[in-house]
Amino acid sequence: MSKYVVIEPGAVGYIFRTESPDSDWLYIGQSTRLDPEHVSGYYGSGVHIREALAQNGSEGLKKSVLATATSELDLHYLEMLQIAEARAAGSVLLNGDFGGPRPFPTFQRLLWEEAPEVMGAAGDVALFHRALLKNRPQVEAAITRAMAIMPDEFYAGYERDLLAVMDLSHQCPFCGSPAGAVCRTNSKSPTMPHNPCSNHKKRPRAISQ
């Protein structure tokens, strides 16, 4: 990992970039885990970055901090901005969407309501980046609304995201969720909130026929 990973005092989270050893792809993400062990070993949890890590491991990856944030609102906005900036510069990203709070389909709907100029530019990476800068208050209004979603609605949307991109043909060995079902528990601690994305990281994948 890069020696340049530094978290400023007072930050609640940070935006990071993970770069492949041969610099042919990037992944940009966010994290609120600031303990040194997690900062050193966390390279991202998106579907495509997890696939890359499963296939190639983390040897040679370079991780660097792009920005730090003192609020959750800033964290989501800065993640969106950094992803958009990288795409506008022509980088190949392993990110599946344009960042921000989860679940993505719900946030996308809120962006259409609060910042239609931004969503209207989503098909052009350069225009989208400029629209994020120009319409920051409207984008932040959508982020604020998304952050206020009740937990049940949040996880229902999260599960829809996972069902659309993950193979759930095996029972989960950690929490016992049956084939076709998304994890609804925390596999490490029954007293901590469930996190289906984290729970699914090591779930067996079906072999394509």
Side-chain angles (χ1 to χ4, degrees):
M1 190 195 75
S2 170
K3 64 182 179 181
Y4 300 110
V5 176
V6 178
I7 308 299
E8 296 177 1
V12 301
Y14 65 98
I15 309 302
F16 66 90
R17 181 176 79 175
T18 297
E19 185 175 351
S20 66
D22 50 10
S23 300
D24 61 348
W25 58 258
L26 306 173
Y27 176 83
I28 293 174
Q30 62 167 273
S31 179
T32 57
R33 286 280 303 275
L34 305 180
D35 54 287
E37 183 178 358
H38 191 268
V39 171
S40 298
Y42 180 66
Y43 296 99
S45 59
V47 172
H48 301 301
I49 183 66
R50 290 205 310 273
E51 293 287 352
L53 289 170
Q55 292 176 12
N56 305 309
S58 60
E59 184 68 28
L61 292 179
K62 177 183 176 181
K63 178 179 178 180
S64 53
V65 170
L66 301 176
T68 56
T70 56
S71 72
E72 186 180 2
L73 175 61
D74 281 345
L75 190 66
H76 288 310
Y77 177 77
L78 290 172
E79 180 188 38
M80 293 181 68
L81 193 62
Q82 291 291 343
I83 290 172
E85 184 176 311
R87 285 188 172 134
S91 299
V92 176
L93 270 66
L94 294 189
N95 298 78
D97 52 55
F98 40 74
R102 302 297 179 191
F104 179 66
T106 300
F107 179 48
Q108 191 175 34
R109 172 178 58 81
L110 295 174
L111 274 174
W112 272 116
E113 295 175 5
E114 297 286 350
E117 182 177 342
V118 173
M119 288 303 298
D124 184 308
V125 292
L127 287 177
F128 184 71
H129 179 240
R130 289 199 292 270
L132 284 178
L133 291 169
K134 180 181 176 182
N135 298 275
R136 179 167 183 167
Q138 292 84 358
V139 174
E140 290 185 337
I143 292 172
T144 300
R145 289 178 61 189
M147 291 191 303
I149 294 172
M150 296 300 290
D152 283 348
E153 182 181 352
F154 171 88
Y155 281 106
Y158 212 160
E159 290 173 359
R160 286 193 298 271
D161 288 355
L162 287 171
L163 287 168
V165 297
M166 299 194 75
D167 184 346
L168 305 180
S169 59
H170 295 274
Q171 176 180 331
C172 178
F174 297 100
C175 74
S177 293
V182 177
C183 300
R184 292 284 294 183
T185 62
N186 187 301
S187 60
K188 295 183 179 180
S189 171
T191 61
M192 293 177 65
H194 50 266
N195 184 334
C197 186
S198 177
N199 290 351
H200 278 278
K201 284 193 295 187
K202 296 183 179 181
R203 191 162 181 170
R205 309 296 294 272
I207 299 175
S208 301
Q209 300 298 322

PDB file of all heavy atoms in Angstrom, residues 18-52:
ATOM      1  N   THR A  18      -7.791   3.544  -5.182  1.00  0.00           N
ATOM      2  CA  THR A  18      -6.989   2.335  -5.312  1.00  0.00           C
ATOM      3  C   THR A  18      -6.600   2.192  -6.775  1.00  0.00           C
ATOM      4  O   THR A  18      -7.457   2.244  -7.656  1.00  0.00           O
ATOM      5  CB  THR A  18      -7.780   1.094  -4.866  1.00  0.00           C
ATOM      6  OG1 THR A  18      -8.117   1.211  -3.479  1.00  0.00           O
ATOM      7  CG2 THR A  18      -6.965  -0.178  -5.064  1.00  0.00           C
ATOM      8  N   GLU A  19      -5.305   2.042  -7.028  1.00  0.00           N
ATOM      9  CA  GLU A  19      -4.806   1.958  -8.404  1.00  0.00           C
ATOM     10  C   GLU A  19      -4.128   0.615  -8.625  1.00  0.00           C
ATOM     11  O   GLU A  19      -3.375   0.134  -7.771  1.00  0.00           O
ATOM     12  CB  GLU A  19      -3.808   3.084  -8.660  1.00  0.00           C
ATOM     13  CG  GLU A  19      -3.310   3.161 -10.088  1.00  0.00           C
ATOM     14  CD  GLU A  19      -2.428   4.370 -10.306  1.00  0.00           C
ATOM     15  OE1 GLU A  19      -2.353   5.223  -9.400  1.00  0.00           O
ATOM     16  OE2 GLU A  19      -1.804   4.453 -11.379  1.00  0.00           O
ATOM     17  N   SER A  20      -4.411  -0.008  -9.759  1.00  0.00           N
ATOM     18  CA  SER A  20      -3.825  -1.310 -10.076  1.00  0.00           C
ATOM     19  C   SER A  20      -2.324  -1.172 -10.289  1.00  0.00           C
ATOM     20  O   SER A  20      -1.827  -0.085 -10.608  1.00  0.00           O
ATOM     21  CB  SER A  20      -4.477  -1.896 -11.329  1.00  0.00           C
ATOM     22  OG  SER A  20      -4.164  -1.102 -12.471  1.00  0.00           O
ATOM     23  N   PRO A  21      -1.561  -2.258 -10.120  1.00  0.00           N
ATOM     24  CA  PRO A  21      -0.106  -2.181 -10.268  1.00  0.00           C
ATOM     25  C   PRO A  21       0.338  -1.650 -11.621  1.00  0.00           C
ATOM     26  O   PRO A  21       1.337  -0.936 -11.714  1.00  0.00           O
ATOM     27  CB  PRO A  21       0.338  -3.635 -10.075  1.00  0.00           C
ATOM     28  CG  PRO A  21      -0.737  -4.242  -9.234  1.00  0.00           C
ATOM     29  CD  PRO A  21      -2.014  -3.586  -9.688  1.00  0.00           C
ATOM     30  N   ASP A  22      -0.388  -1.983 -12.688  1.00  0.00           N
ATOM     31  CA  ASP A  22      -0.001  -1.511 -14.015  1.00  0.00           C
ATOM     32  C   ASP A  22      -0.765  -0.260 -14.438  1.00  0.00           C
ATOM     33  O   ASP A  22      -0.706   0.156 -15.596  1.00  0.00           O
ATOM     34  CB  ASP A  22      -0.205  -2.603 -15.061  1.00  0.00           C
ATOM     35  CG  ASP A  22      -1.587  -3.234 -14.977  1.00  0.00           C
ATOM     36  OD1 ASP A  22      -2.438  -2.691 -14.234  1.00  0.00           O
ATOM     37  OD2 ASP A  22      -1.816  -4.260 -15.636  1.00  0.00           O
ATOM     38  N   SER A  23      -1.502   0.338 -13.507  1.00  0.00           N
ATOM     39  CA  SER A  23      -2.213   1.613 -13.718  1.00  0.00           C
ATOM     40  C   SER A  23      -3.252   1.553 -14.835  1.00  0.00           C
ATOM     41  O   SER A  23      -3.555   2.576 -15.458  1.00  0.00           O
ATOM     42  CB  SER A  23      -1.218   2.750 -14.020  1.00  0.00           C
ATOM     43  OG  SER A  23      -0.315   2.917 -12.944  1.00  0.00           O
ATOM     44  N   ASP A  24      -3.830   0.366 -15.084  1.00  0.00           N
ATOM     45  CA  ASP A  24      -4.839   0.293 -16.141  1.00  0.00           C
ATOM     46  C   ASP A  24      -6.255   0.466 -15.610  1.00  0.00           C
ATOM     47  O   ASP A  24      -7.200   0.534 -16.392  1.00  0.00           O
ATOM     48  CB  ASP A  24      -4.717  -1.011 -16.934  1.00  0.00           C
ATOM     49  CG  ASP A  24      -4.923  -2.243 -16.074  1.00  0.00           C
ATOM     50  OD1 ASP A  24      -4.941  -2.107 -14.835  1.00  0.00           O
ATOM     51  OD2 ASP A  24      -5.055  -3.341 -16.652  1.00  0.00           O
ATOM     52  N   TRP A  25      -6.440   0.538 -14.275  1.00  0.00           N
ATOM     53  CA  TRP A  25      -7.749   0.846 -13.713  1.00  0.00           C
ATOM     54  C   TRP A  25      -7.599   1.500 -12.348  1.00  0.00           C
ATOM     55  O   TRP A  25      -6.556   1.379 -11.694  1.00  0.00           O
ATOM     56  CB  TRP A  25      -8.638  -0.387 -13.617  1.00  0.00           C
ATOM     57  CG  TRP A  25      -8.097  -1.533 -12.809  1.00  0.00           C
ATOM     58  CD1 TRP A  25      -7.527  -2.684 -13.284  1.00  0.00           C
ATOM     59  CD2 TRP A  25      -8.077  -1.672 -11.368  1.00  0.00           C
ATOM     60  NE1 TRP A  25      -7.154  -3.510 -12.251  1.00  0.00           N
ATOM     61  CE2 TRP A  25      -7.489  -2.929 -11.067  1.00  0.00           C
ATOM     62  CE3 TRP A  25      -8.502  -0.867 -10.312  1.00  0.00           C
ATOM     63  CZ2 TRP A  25      -7.310  -3.376  -9.757  1.00  0.00           C
ATOM     64  CZ3 TRP A  25      -8.327  -1.313  -8.996  1.00  0.00           C
ATOM     65  CH2 TRP A  25      -7.742  -2.556  -8.740  1.00  0.00           C
ATOM     66  N   LEU A  26      -8.648   2.200 -11.957  1.00  0.00           N
ATOM     67  CA  LEU A  26      -8.735   2.832 -10.642  1.00  0.00           C
ATOM     68  C   LEU A  26     -10.045   2.427  -9.976  1.00  0.00           C
ATOM     69  O   LEU A  26     -11.003   2.048 -10.649  1.00  0.00           O
ATOM     70  CB  LEU A  26      -8.728   4.364 -10.757  1.00  0.00           C
ATOM     71  CG  LEU A  26      -7.615   5.060 -11.510  1.00  0.00           C
ATOM     72  CD1 LEU A  26      -7.951   6.545 -11.608  1.00  0.00           C
ATOM     73  CD2 LEU A  26      -6.299   4.861 -10.790  1.00  0.00           C
ATOM     74  N   TYR A  27     -10.054   2.538  -8.668  1.00  0.00           N
ATOM     75  CA  TYR A  27     -11.307   2.447  -7.920  1.00  0.00           C
ATOM     76  C   TYR A  27     -11.309   3.587  -6.927  1.00  0.00           C
ATOM     77  O   TYR A  27     -10.308   3.834  -6.244  1.00  0.00           O
ATOM     78  CB  TYR A  27     -11.429   1.114  -7.177  1.00  0.00           C
ATOM     79  CG  TYR A  27     -12.668   1.028  -6.324  1.00  0.00           C
ATOM     80  CD1 TYR A  27     -13.887   0.662  -6.878  1.00  0.00           C
ATOM     81  CD2 TYR A  27     -12.625   1.347  -4.963  1.00  0.00           C
ATOM     82  CE1 TYR A  27     -15.033   0.605  -6.108  1.00  0.00           C
ATOM     83  CE2 TYR A  27     -13.766   1.294  -4.185  1.00  0.00           C
ATOM     84  CZ  TYR A  27     -14.965   0.918  -4.756  1.00  0.00           C
ATOM     85  OH  TYR A  27     -16.103   0.869  -3.985  1.00  0.00           O
ATOM     86  N   ILE A  28     -12.410   4.310  -6.840  1.00  0.00           N
ATOM     87  CA  ILE A  28     -12.530   5.418  -5.898  1.00  0.00           C
ATOM     88  C   ILE A  28     -13.670   5.107  -4.942  1.00  0.00           C
ATOM     89  O   ILE A  28     -14.771   4.743  -5.363  1.00  0.00           O
ATOM     90  CB  ILE A  28     -12.793   6.744  -6.634  1.00  0.00           C
ATOM     91  CG1 ILE A  28     -11.552   7.122  -7.462  1.00  0.00           C
ATOM     92  CG2 ILE A  28     -13.134   7.867  -5.654  1.00  0.00           C
ATOM     93  CD1 ILE A  28     -11.729   8.326  -8.339  1.00  0.00           C
ATOM     94  N   GLY A  29     -13.394   5.222  -3.658  1.00  0.00           N
ATOM     95  CA  GLY A  29     -14.403   4.911  -2.659  1.00  0.00           C
ATOM     96  C   GLY A  29     -14.282   5.806  -1.445  1.00  0.00           C
ATOM     97  O   GLY A  29     -13.468   6.730  -1.401  1.00  0.00           O
ATOM     98  N   GLN A  30     -15.094   5.505  -0.454  1.00  0.00           N
ATOM     99  CA  GLN A  30     -15.076   6.252   0.801  1.00  0.00           C
ATOM    100  C   GLN A  30     -15.054   5.286   1.967  1.00  0.00           C
ATOM    101  O   GLN A  30     -15.436   4.120   1.845  1.00  0.00           O
ATOM    102  CB  GLN A  30     -16.311   7.141   0.915  1.00  0.00           C
ATOM    103  CG  GLN A  30     -17.631   6.370   0.941  1.00  0.00           C
ATOM    104  CD  GLN A  30     -18.804   7.241   1.374  1.00  0.00           C
ATOM    105  OE1 GLN A  30     -19.066   7.367   2.566  1.00  0.00           O
ATOM    106  NE2 GLN A  30     -19.502   7.827   0.400  1.00  0.00           N
ATOM    107  N   SER A  31     -14.611   5.755   3.109  1.00  0.00           N
ATOM    108  CA  SER A  31     -14.626   4.942   4.325  1.00  0.00           C
ATOM    109  C   SER A  31     -14.704   5.848   5.547  1.00  0.00           C
ATOM    110  O   SER A  31     -14.135   6.941   5.550  1.00  0.00           O
ATOM    111  CB  SER A  31     -13.373   4.062   4.421  1.00  0.00           C
ATOM    112  OG  SER A  31     -13.387   3.291   5.611  1.00  0.00           O
ATOM    113  N   THR A  32     -15.404   5.374   6.562  1.00  0.00           N
ATOM    114  CA  THR A  32     -15.448   6.075   7.850  1.00  0.00           C
ATOM    115  C   THR A  32     -14.645   5.329   8.909  1.00  0.00           C
ATOM    116  O   THR A  32     -14.618   5.754  10.063  1.00  0.00           O
ATOM    117  CB  THR A  32     -16.897   6.259   8.324  1.00  0.00           C
ATOM    118  OG1 THR A  32     -17.534   4.975   8.414  1.00  0.00           O
ATOM    119  CG2 THR A  32     -17.679   7.149   7.374  1.00  0.00           C
ATOM    120  N   ARG A  33     -14.009   4.238   8.504  1.00  0.00           N
ATOM    121  CA  ARG A  33     -13.134   3.505   9.413  1.00  0.00           C
ATOM    122  C   ARG A  33     -11.755   4.136   9.364  1.00  0.00           C
ATOM    123  O   ARG A  33     -11.078   4.089   8.334  1.00  0.00           O
ATOM    124  CB  ARG A  33     -13.054   2.039   8.995  1.00  0.00           C
ATOM    125  CG  ARG A  33     -14.297   1.206   9.301  1.00  0.00           C
ATOM    126  CD  ARG A  33     -14.341   0.760  10.759  1.00  0.00           C
ATOM    127  NE  ARG A  33     -13.156   0.004  11.123  1.00  0.00           N
ATOM    128  CZ  ARG A  33     -13.005  -1.310  10.916  1.00  0.00           C
ATOM    129  NH1 ARG A  33     -13.960  -2.004  10.324  1.00  0.00           N
ATOM    130  NH2 ARG A  33     -11.906  -1.937  11.296  1.00  0.00           N
ATOM    131  N   LEU A  34     -11.341   4.727  10.470  1.00  0.00           N
ATOM    132  CA  LEU A  34     -10.099   5.485  10.487  1.00  0.00           C
ATOM    133  C   LEU A  34      -8.974   4.814  11.266  1.00  0.00           C
ATOM    134  O   LEU A  34      -7.886   5.390  11.393  1.00  0.00           O
ATOM    135  CB  LEU A  34     -10.355   6.887  11.066  1.00  0.00           C
ATOM    136  CG  LEU A  34     -11.451   7.698  10.371  1.00  0.00           C
ATOM    137  CD1 LEU A  34     -11.600   9.067  11.026  1.00  0.00           C
ATOM    138  CD2 LEU A  34     -11.177   7.843   8.889  1.00  0.00           C
ATOM    139  N   ASP A  35      -9.211   3.611  11.786  1.00  0.00           N
ATOM    140  CA  ASP A  35      -8.142   2.925  12.500  1.00  0.00           C
ATOM    141  C   ASP A  35      -7.067   2.506  11.496  1.00  0.00           C
ATOM    142  O   ASP A  35      -7.354   2.122  10.362  1.00  0.00           O
ATOM    143  CB  ASP A  35      -8.681   1.710  13.248  1.00  0.00           C
ATOM    144  CG  ASP A  35      -9.458   0.767  12.344  1.00  0.00           C
ATOM    145  OD1 ASP A  35     -10.590   1.130  11.952  1.00  0.00           O
ATOM    146  OD2 ASP A  35      -8.946  -0.314  12.018  1.00  0.00           O
ATOM    147  N   PRO A  36      -5.792   2.602  11.892  1.00  0.00           N
ATOM    148  CA  PRO A  36      -4.683   2.366  10.953  1.00  0.00           C
ATOM    149  C   PRO A  36      -4.750   1.015  10.240  1.00  0.00           C
ATOM    150  O   PRO A  36      -4.428   0.931   9.051  1.00  0.00           O
ATOM    151  CB  PRO A  36      -3.443   2.461  11.842  1.00  0.00           C
ATOM    152  CG  PRO A  36      -3.860   3.356  12.968  1.00  0.00           C
ATOM    153  CD  PRO A  36      -5.309   3.025  13.217  1.00  0.00           C
ATOM    154  N   GLU A  37      -5.170  -0.024  10.940  1.00  0.00           N
ATOM    155  CA  GLU A  37      -5.216  -1.352  10.315  1.00  0.00           C
ATOM    156  C   GLU A  37      -6.203  -1.380   9.151  1.00  0.00           C
ATOM    157  O   GLU A  37      -5.912  -1.909   8.074  1.00  0.00           O
ATOM    158  CB  GLU A  37      -5.595  -2.410  11.349  1.00  0.00           C
ATOM    159  CG  GLU A  37      -5.599  -3.828  10.780  1.00  0.00           C
ATOM    160  CD  GLU A  37      -5.925  -4.868  11.833  1.00  0.00           C
ATOM    161  OE1 GLU A  37      -6.106  -4.489  13.018  1.00  0.00           O
ATOM    162  OE2 GLU A  37      -6.000  -6.054  11.489  1.00  0.00           O
ATOM    163  N   HIS A  38      -7.382  -0.779   9.357  1.00  0.00           N
ATOM    164  CA  HIS A  38      -8.381  -0.768   8.301  1.00  0.00           C
ATOM    165  C   HIS A  38      -7.947   0.141   7.163  1.00  0.00           C
ATOM    166  O   HIS A  38      -8.111  -0.194   5.979  1.00  0.00           O
ATOM    167  CB  HIS A  38      -9.735  -0.315   8.858  1.00  0.00           C
ATOM    168  CG  HIS A  38     -10.873  -0.519   7.912  1.00  0.00           C
ATOM    169  ND1 HIS A  38     -11.285   0.459   7.027  1.00  0.00           N
ATOM    170  CD2 HIS A  38     -11.677  -1.592   7.688  1.00  0.00           C
ATOM    171  CE1 HIS A  38     -12.301   0.006   6.324  1.00  0.00           C
ATOM    172  NE2 HIS A  38     -12.561  -1.229   6.691  1.00  0.00           N
ATOM    173  N   VAL A  39      -7.406   1.312   7.492  1.00  0.00           N
ATOM    174  CA  VAL A  39      -6.937   2.231   6.451  1.00  0.00           C
ATOM    175  C   VAL A  39      -5.884   1.552   5.581  1.00  0.00           C
ATOM    176  O   VAL A  39      -5.873   1.698   4.351  1.00  0.00           O
ATOM    177  CB  VAL A  39      -6.379   3.524   7.077  1.00  0.00           C
ATOM    178  CG1 VAL A  39      -5.699   4.380   6.020  1.00  0.00           C
ATOM    179  CG2 VAL A  39      -7.491   4.317   7.756  1.00  0.00           C
ATOM    180  N   SER A  40      -5.011   0.782   6.204  1.00  0.00           N
ATOM    181  CA  SER A  40      -3.926   0.137   5.465  1.00  0.00           C
ATOM    182  C   SER A  40      -4.415  -1.001   4.578  1.00  0.00           C
ATOM    183  O   SER A  40      -3.855  -1.238   3.507  1.00  0.00           O
ATOM    184  CB  SER A  40      -2.876  -0.406   6.439  1.00  0.00           C
ATOM    185  OG  SER A  40      -2.294   0.635   7.186  1.00  0.00           O
ATOM    186  N   GLY A  41      -5.462  -1.704   5.023  1.00  0.00           N
ATOM    187  CA  GLY A  41      -5.852  -2.918   4.314  1.00  0.00           C
ATOM    188  C   GLY A  41      -7.143  -2.858   3.538  1.00  0.00           C
ATOM    189  O   GLY A  41      -7.547  -3.856   2.928  1.00  0.00           O
ATOM    190  N   TYR A  42      -7.813  -1.710   3.530  1.00  0.00           N
ATOM    191  CA  TYR A  42      -9.104  -1.598   2.841  1.00  0.00           C
ATOM    192  C   TYR A  42      -8.923  -0.948   1.488  1.00  0.00           C
ATOM    193  O   TYR A  42      -8.458   0.185   1.384  1.00  0.00           O
ATOM    194  CB  TYR A  42     -10.081  -0.784   3.694  1.00  0.00           C
ATOM    195  CG  TYR A  42     -11.440  -0.604   3.062  1.00  0.00           C
ATOM    196  CD1 TYR A  42     -12.281  -1.689   2.865  1.00  0.00           C
ATOM    197  CD2 TYR A  42     -11.875   0.660   2.660  1.00  0.00           C
ATOM    198  CE1 TYR A  42     -13.534  -1.525   2.282  1.00  0.00           C
ATOM    199  CE2 TYR A  42     -13.120   0.839   2.089  1.00  0.00           C
ATOM    200  CZ  TYR A  42     -13.948  -0.264   1.899  1.00  0.00           C
ATOM    201  OH  TYR A  42     -15.176  -0.094   1.327  1.00  0.00           O
ATOM    202  N   TYR A  43      -9.315  -1.668   0.426  1.00  0.00           N
ATOM    203  CA  TYR A  43      -9.138  -1.163  -0.934  1.00  0.00           C
ATOM    204  C   TYR A  43     -10.457  -0.905  -1.643  1.00  0.00           C
ATOM    205  O   TYR A  43     -10.462  -0.438  -2.781  1.00  0.00           O
ATOM    206  CB  TYR A  43      -8.313  -2.151  -1.748  1.00  0.00           C
ATOM    207  CG  TYR A  43      -6.906  -2.309  -1.234  1.00  0.00           C
ATOM    208  CD1 TYR A  43      -6.560  -3.383  -0.419  1.00  0.00           C
ATOM    209  CD2 TYR A  43      -5.926  -1.371  -1.538  1.00  0.00           C
ATOM    210  CE1 TYR A  43      -5.267  -3.525   0.072  1.00  0.00           C
ATOM    211  CE2 TYR A  43      -4.635  -1.497  -1.060  1.00  0.00           C
ATOM    212  CZ  TYR A  43      -4.310  -2.577  -0.253  1.00  0.00           C
ATOM    213  OH  TYR A  43      -3.033  -2.697   0.237  1.00  0.00           O
ATOM    214  N   GLY A  44     -11.577  -1.187  -0.981  1.00  0.00           N
ATOM    215  CA  GLY A  44     -12.876  -0.941  -1.582  1.00  0.00           C
ATOM    216  C   GLY A  44     -13.787  -2.149  -1.463  1.00  0.00           C
ATOM    217  O   GLY A  44     -13.320  -3.282  -1.292  1.00  0.00           O
ATOM    218  N   SER A  45     -15.108  -1.899  -1.532  1.00  0.00           N
ATOM    219  CA  SER A  45     -16.075  -2.991  -1.351  1.00  0.00           C
ATOM    220  C   SER A  45     -17.082  -3.094  -2.488  1.00  0.00           C
ATOM    221  O   SER A  45     -18.046  -3.829  -2.392  1.00  0.00           O
ATOM    222  CB  SER A  45     -16.830  -2.805  -0.026  1.00  0.00           C
ATOM    223  OG  SER A  45     -17.506  -1.549  -0.008  1.00  0.00           O
ATOM    224  N   GLY A  46     -16.868  -2.342  -3.577  1.00  0.00           N
ATOM    225  CA  GLY A  46     -17.747  -2.481  -4.724  1.00  0.00           C
ATOM    226  C   GLY A  46     -17.610  -3.846  -5.364  1.00  0.00           C
ATOM    227  O   GLY A  46     -16.613  -4.562  -5.173  1.00  0.00           O
ATOM    228  N   VAL A  47     -18.612  -4.241  -6.134  1.00  0.00           N
ATOM    229  CA  VAL A  47     -18.626  -5.565  -6.745  1.00  0.00           C
ATOM    230  C   VAL A  47     -17.384  -5.794  -7.602  1.00  0.00           C
ATOM    231  O   VAL A  47     -16.717  -6.828  -7.495  1.00  0.00           O
ATOM    232  CB  VAL A  47     -19.895  -5.759  -7.593  1.00  0.00           C
ATOM    233  CG1 VAL A  47     -19.823  -7.059  -8.388  1.00  0.00           C
ATOM    234  CG2 VAL A  47     -21.131  -5.744  -6.707  1.00  0.00           C
ATOM    235  N   HIS A  48     -17.030  -4.837  -8.447  1.00  0.00           N
ATOM    236  CA  HIS A  48     -15.933  -5.045  -9.394  1.00  0.00           C
ATOM    237  C   HIS A  48     -14.566  -5.028  -8.717  1.00  0.00           C
ATOM    238  O   HIS A  48     -13.682  -5.803  -9.105  1.00  0.00           O
ATOM    239  CB  HIS A  48     -15.997  -3.994 -10.500  1.00  0.00           C
ATOM    240  CG  HIS A  48     -17.280  -4.008 -11.263  1.00  0.00           C
ATOM    241  ND1 HIS A  48     -17.715  -5.122 -11.945  1.00  0.00           N
ATOM    242  CD2 HIS A  48     -18.246  -3.065 -11.434  1.00  0.00           C
ATOM    243  CE1 HIS A  48     -18.880  -4.861 -12.519  1.00  0.00           C
ATOM    244  NE2 HIS A  48     -19.228  -3.621 -12.215  1.00  0.00           N
ATOM    245  N   ILE A  49     -14.376  -4.186  -7.708  1.00  0.00           N
ATOM    246  CA  ILE A  49     -13.096  -4.185  -7.007  1.00  0.00           C
ATOM    247  C   ILE A  49     -12.947  -5.471  -6.194  1.00  0.00           C
ATOM    248  O   ILE A  49     -11.852  -6.036  -6.097  1.00  0.00           O
ATOM    249  CB  ILE A  49     -12.934  -2.926  -6.109  1.00  0.00           C
ATOM    250  CG1 ILE A  49     -11.546  -2.891  -5.438  1.00  0.00           C
ATOM    251  CG2 ILE A  49     -13.996  -2.859  -5.036  1.00  0.00           C
ATOM    252  CD1 ILE A  49     -10.400  -2.708  -6.379  1.00  0.00           C
ATOM    253  N   ARG A  50     -14.050  -5.984  -5.645  1.00  0.00           N
ATOM    254  CA  ARG A  50     -13.969  -7.255  -4.916  1.00  0.00           C
ATOM    255  C   ARG A  50     -13.596  -8.389  -5.851  1.00  0.00           C
ATOM    256  O   ARG A  50     -12.829  -9.284  -5.486  1.00  0.00           O
ATOM    257  CB  ARG A  50     -15.295  -7.542  -4.210  1.00  0.00           C
ATOM    258  CG  ARG A  50     -15.586  -6.619  -3.044  1.00  0.00           C
ATOM    259  CD  ARG A  50     -16.520  -7.259  -2.035  1.00  0.00           C
ATOM    260  NE  ARG A  50     -17.704  -7.814  -2.645  1.00  0.00           N
ATOM    261  CZ  ARG A  50     -18.823  -7.133  -2.885  1.00  0.00           C
ATOM    262  NH1 ARG A  50     -18.878  -5.842  -2.564  1.00  0.00           N
ATOM    263  NH2 ARG A  50     -19.869  -7.717  -3.424  1.00  0.00           N
ATOM    264  N   GLU A  51     -14.131  -8.383  -7.066  1.00  0.00           N
ATOM    265  CA  GLU A  51     -13.774  -9.406  -8.042  1.00  0.00           C
ATOM    266  C   GLU A  51     -12.284  -9.314  -8.388  1.00  0.00           C
ATOM    267  O   GLU A  51     -11.594 -10.333  -8.495  1.00  0.00           O
ATOM    268  CB  GLU A  51     -14.623  -9.246  -9.302  1.00  0.00           C
ATOM    269  CG  GLU A  51     -16.099  -9.534  -9.108  1.00  0.00           C
ATOM    270  CD  GLU A  51     -16.390 -11.020  -8.940  1.00  0.00           C
ATOM    271  OE1 GLU A  51     -15.454 -11.837  -9.126  1.00  0.00           O
ATOM    272  OE2 GLU A  51     -17.530 -11.374  -8.617  1.00  0.00           O
ATOM    273  N   ALA A  52     -11.794  -8.091  -8.569  1.00  0.00           N
ATOM    274  CA  ALA A  52     -10.377  -7.906  -8.904  1.00  0.00           C
ATOM    275  C   ALA A  52      -9.486  -8.398  -7.762  1.00  0.00           C
ATOM    276  O   ALA A  52      -8.454  -9.047  -8.001  1.00  0.00           O
ATOM    277  CB  ALA A  52     -10.095  -6.439  -9.209  1.00  0.00           C
TER     278      ALA A  52
END
